Amino acid sequence: MPEPLAVSPRFSATFTRRNLLAISGLLLTAFAVMTAVLIHIAHTQNRQAAEQSRFFAEKAVQARQHQLLLQIGDYAYWGDAYQHLHAEVDLEWAFTRQNLGPSLYKDFEYEGILVVAPDNRIAYAVIEGQLQPLDARQWLQGDIDTLVQQARESSEEEVSQPAILHVKGRPALVAAAGFTTGSDPLISPLPGEPSVLLFVDVLTPDKLLTLGKGYALERLRLEQADEEPDSQASLPLGTSGFNLRWDAPQPGRQLLAVLLPLLLLAGLVLALLAWLVLRHALVTARLIEVGYRSLEVSRSALGHSEARFRDVAEATSDWLWETDAQRRLCYLSERFQAVTGFNPADWLGRPLEEMLQGESLSLLEWITDRSQPAGVRRTLRCSYTDRDAMQRICSLAMRRIEDDRGLLGYRGTASDITEEVQAQARIEHLSLHDGLTGLPNRRRMQAFLEGRLQHLSTGGHSLAMLCIDLDRFKLVNDSLGHAAGDQVLGQVSQRLRQCVRDGDLVARQGGDEFTLVLTSTVSHQGIERLCARLIQALEQPFEVDGHEVFIGASIGIAMAPHDAAQADELLRFADIALYQAKTSGRNTWRFYAQEMNQRICERRLLENDLRQALAGAQLRLDFQPRYCLEGLQMVGAEALVRWQHPRHGLLGPDRFIGLAEETGLIGALGAWVLRQACTAAMDWPQPLAVSVNLSPVQFRRGALVALVRDVLIETGLSATRLELEITESVMLDDSEGALQTLNELKALGVRLALDDFGTGYSSLSYLRAYPFDSLKIDRSFIADLDSTENNHAIVHAIVGLGKALSLRVTAEGVETAEQLDLLRSEGCDEVQGFLLSPPLPGEQLYRLLQSGAALTH
Ligand code: C2E
Ligand code: CA
Ligand code: CA
């Protein structure tokens, strides 16, 4: 798990970028505000200056008017003027002597001096310094009469304000005042209306400029009143239709002109700086982000590979472990807890051998064994008690971890095989015990016997083999039924067991036959006493469903090593003795005697015959087809050898294979069968598989791999079509050598089948370790599959095991449709048996294949 960061780099990158953007935004805003304030100040200054100039403009106009009024007053209220321009118009006095003549124009720039007589006629007019002969009313436009009237009505003290009239389209200030005698007491006023004096002051551009200068008004001028109504730098001239206009001072503009460029420059510099900083920060942030993303990517890649490892580790039922050099656990995969129930924390730090016990050797010894190079994987079967106090078995695999510094520790897996081992034990138990009585069965007995005999050959005690056959048992079965018969058998087995000591074996041979292997009581008298006890015990009545049942027993005895040292011989001899006992009148026993053995002689003869058979053409092969259970398609055929004996007729392999093995003839026989089977298969119209049985003796002889290779080359048969059937005894004899031979055979490409499965002793361990492709359930389990629960359980377990180990499972000896149905429901893969086809002579099989019909049953 990666360490979580306090603040993720991605977050801080985003944070930085946001901050920078915010700061830049703030700066820009501040800049904008400053600019706005500056513009505002400038604007205010401009406005104030304009207001001031407007005030001055008003003042200027007023001053001009005032001057006009003062001067008109001076002339109008002057007795001389009254006399020379009202009473009579004296041009000499007025114009020539310049009392009211051109000097007014020259000195004061009054363009017009007019006198309006009482009858409203213009009596005197000096226009622009010239005595005007024309009608002055044409020159001065506007409502002169009203103005004149107002002047007549006003008094000296109360002069009417100048009006604005027009001269040649320009506005002109026109002051009007009625002539009075003034303060001259010598002149007496005339009756009637006085004449009125008009001063016309045209607002010419020059005059305006001069006027403006006096009041600090730049470029004072006129403009049409309907032009843009800029109130700041203009002043309406009454109703004249003109405004006074001037260039208002603009201090704000100057301020702006100076400061704005500076401000802009500062802003630009600031923006540039901000951009640089931002860009740098963004690049950094992006780098951080990219870094973070690549960190995330690599982190997620690491996460992926971790997850993959975890998935692999979790997908198997195995748990993974690792220790330091002192074997103290330093890693346990998650499966550990699921499998063992323990909390890994409770075991970390503790040595592995504290938890697991090696089965065949101490775990400590095994781990520390340095004979194998480091890196080599070794396995050991171990047991331990899980958290629920259940005994569990695991297969421990281990590898040393080393480097130049030396041993670093150990690492490996522990595969839980408890279920498999239990299944194996169950199969073994089922296959070695009689389902009805719980006694060991014939196979168990045989194994026990063989073990004992081997012991005996190395100087152990002698032993006795007893065959017991119940008398009158058939009667019980027939009269009371099978269930009663089964009960009797159960009670018989109990009584037999009570008669023997520990170390002896009681087994059920089948039907009403039992065997005893005595390892403790082996004196003649001792055996006789035991036999008496046994017969007496079995003569006692049996209680079955309220009935008393009487049976008896006959016993045949063979002694080892006195009579024979081979298990099957000993059994046969005991059987011969039993036959003798029965023929001698039941409820008795017989020891085997040499004379009883005629069959030994027969065998000797047979051996000779077999040599000749191999040389001559008395052997032949039959082929029994094998079918895929799903769809019942033929998938192959098993080669089974037959001997056409000149005197005894056709003999099955059971009659001579054993003999061939004992005498060493099996080598030649086996080679013949293999070559013959491959040759025949090459001829088949379809490339089906051919199965050939191998004898364990062929394995021991060596040269088997070379034989198979040679035959394949010789016949040209593809190795994949050849299947070799091997019994478990091959592995029992010499497991190391057998494994090597099997691996070499496998390397040739042939398929390997484990034959007669279930009758051996250590089935499972071989299946796991050896390279088998399939296994064949022994036909004894199939025989009464439909009636025996026990066999059903065995078949069920074997099919399950095959599935678990990915092996194809073939059932042989299928004789009934019920068996076939049961096998199908169990999920068996292939079947073989009389129901589908008996073993066929080669040419018959050939024809069958040729017809094509045989491919599907
Ligand atoms: P096996 O390998 O188990 O071969 C199958 C035996 O079951 C054959 O007996 C076959 O005829 C018989 N069988 C097939 N279907 C049925 C059925 O539905 N019911 C019954 N009750 N039996 C069926 P066979 O031919 O007598 O062979 C007996 C054994 O002899 C074989 O058992 C095999 O172990 C051995 N054998 C046969 N041929 C050879 C051989 O060429 N070399 C060696 N080494 N052993 C051979
Ligand atoms: Ca076989
Ligand atoms: Ca078989």
Side-chain angles (χ1 to χ4, degrees), residues 689-725:
V690 60
S691 303
V692 173
N693 291 287
L694 291 182
S695 154
V697 182
Q698 286 175 276
F699 267 79
R700 258 175 270 144
R701 290 276 198 83
L704 178 64
V705 182
L707 172 73
V708 175
R709 190 194 300 118
D710 290 349
V711 169
L712 285 174
I713 293 171
E714 229 174 80
T715 60
L717 185 78
S718 157
T720 52
R721 288 182 59 196
L722 179 60
E723 182 171 69
L724 301 175
E725 296 192 0

Side-chain angles (χ1 to χ4, degrees), residues 400-661:
R400 270 205 317 277
I401 320 167
E402 278 175 6
D403 70 0
D404 344 324
R405 286 166 291 168
L407 179 68
L408 298 179
Y410 305 90
R411 182 187 296 148
T413 58
S415 323
D416 194 273
I417 52 167
T418 314
E419 254 93 84
E420 293 171 18
V421 170
Q422 280 169 356
Q424 174 194 5
R426 209 161 48 238
I427 291 169
E428 264 172 31
H429 183 85
L430 289 169
S431 67
L432 295 178
H433 289 81
D434 171 47
L436 178 63
T437 61
L439 287 179
N441 63 11
R442 176 206 294 261
R443 281 189 285 271
R444 171 88 185 94
M445 185 278 294
Q446 212 145 5
F448 179 82
L449 188 60
E450 274 163 10
R452 286 286 140 183
L453 286 172
Q454 212 161 20
H455 194 231
L456 187 131
S457 66
T458 55
H461 292 293
S462 53
L463 60 82
M465 169 91 220
L466 277 67
C467 278
I468 304 170
D469 189 86
L470 301 183
D471 298 330
R472 295 185 299 275
F473 179 73
K474 196 175 174 325
L475 214 71
V476 178
N477 250 357
D478 291 350
S479 57
L480 297 174
H482 281 276
D486 287 352
Q487 283 186 40
V488 171
L489 288 174
Q491 291 179 36
V492 168
S493 65
Q494 275 173 21
R495 291 183 194 184
L496 290 177
R497 252 196 306 233
Q498 281 161 8
C499 292
V500 299
R501 302 185 191 163
D502 286 352
D504 296 342
L505 182 91
V506 183
R508 181 169 172 223
Q509 200 70 359
D512 58 354
E513 264 189 64
F514 294 84
T515 48
L516 261 68
V517 181
L518 306 181
T519 56
S520 45
T521 318
V522 285
S523 72
H524 217 82
Q525 294 88 338
I527 292 169
E528 296 232 10
R529 276 199 297 277
L530 174 68
C531 287
R533 268 210 316 280
L534 286 168
I535 287 172
Q536 202 207 347
L538 296 177
E539 274 177 342
Q540 299 304 310
F542 291 86
E543 264 278 323
V544 181
D545 296 337
H547 296 90
E548 281 209 328
V549 175
F550 293 90
I551 55 173
S554 304
I555 306 172
I557 307 141
M559 306 281 289
H562 181 267
D563 298 325
Q566 296 293 315
D568 48 353
E569 264 193 350
L570 199 60
L571 196 60
R572 208 171 65 238
F573 291 170
D575 229 13
I576 292 169
L578 173 64
Y579 179 73
Q580 290 295 319
K582 275 191 182 284
T583 50
S584 329
R586 302 181 188 257
N587 271 341
T588 186
W589 61 89
R590 285 287 180 276
F591 283 89
Y592 170 75
Q594 280 273 313
E595 314 79 76
M596 296 174 185
N597 185 15
Q598 279 195 335
R599 287 154 84 179
I600 291 177
C601 308
E602 277 173 28
R603 273 171 60 98
R604 296 237 166 83
L605 286 172
L606 209 60
E607 190 187 323
N608 273 332
D609 293 349
L610 187 56
R611 284 180 206 282
Q612 284 169 19
L614 273 167
Q618 296 173 23
L619 295 178
R620 65 154 221 253
L621 287 184
D622 278 0
F623 292 93
Q624 186 176 31
R626 196 172 74 236
Y627 297 85
C628 172
L629 214 166
E630 195 66 45
L632 290 182
Q633 253 186 327
M634 199 197 292
V635 288
E638 177 177 4
L640 296 162
V641 68
R642 272 76 184 111
W643 179 6
Q644 189 63 54
H645 194 277
R647 278 169 289 122
H648 302 305
L650 188 64
L651 299 182
D654 289 340
R655 289 285 299 276
F656 59 91
I657 290 289
L659 191 68
E661 284 173 343

Side-chain angles (χ1 to χ4, degrees), residues 621-622 624 638-642 652-654 656-657 661 666 669-670 672-674 692-696 698 725 727 755-756 776 778-779 783 812-816 819 832-839:
L621 287 184
D622 278 0
Q624 186 176 31
E638 177 177 4
L640 296 162
V641 68
R642 272 76 184 111
D654 289 340
F656 59 91
I657 290 289
E661 284 173 343
I666 191 72
L669 177 71
W672 181 86
V673 170
L674 184 68
V692 173
N693 291 287
L694 291 182
S695 154
Q698 286 175 276
E725 296 192 0
T727 57
D755 207 353
D756 302 343
K776 298 181 87 171
D778 190 62
R779 64 178 182 277
E812 56 182 10
V814 181
E815 292 178 351
T816 68
Q819 292 166 354
Q832 184 180 342
F834 294 166
L835 175 70
L836 299 158
S837 169

Side-chain angles (χ1 to χ4, degrees), residues 114-118 120-123 137 144 148 152 194-196 198:
L114 305 178
V115 175
V116 180
N120 281 350
R121 181 179 48 78
I122 305 285
R137 283 182 189 272
I144 299 169
V148 169
R152 281 187 184 125
S195 298
V196 173
L198 299 177

Side-chain angles (χ1 to χ4, degrees), residues 244-304:
L244 274 182
R245 187 88 167 85
W246 61 97
D247 291 348
Q250 290 195 312
R253 176 175 287 181
Q254 280 157 6
L255 188 75
L256 283 183
V258 175
L259 285 186
L260 208 55
L262 281 177
L263 201 64
L264 272 173
L265 192 69
L268 271 176
V269 170
L270 201 68
L272 187 72
L273 275 177
W275 180 72
L276 282 175
V277 170
L278 193 66
R279 201 181 62 151
H280 178 74
L282 283 180
V283 167
T284 313
R286 203 167 300 133
L287 280 179
I288 291 174
E289 207 169 293
V290 167
Y292 177 69
R293 220 173 281 143
S294 69
L295 186 69
E296 269 186 327
V297 165
S298 60
R299 213 186 265 165
S300 86
L302 190 65
H304 268 117

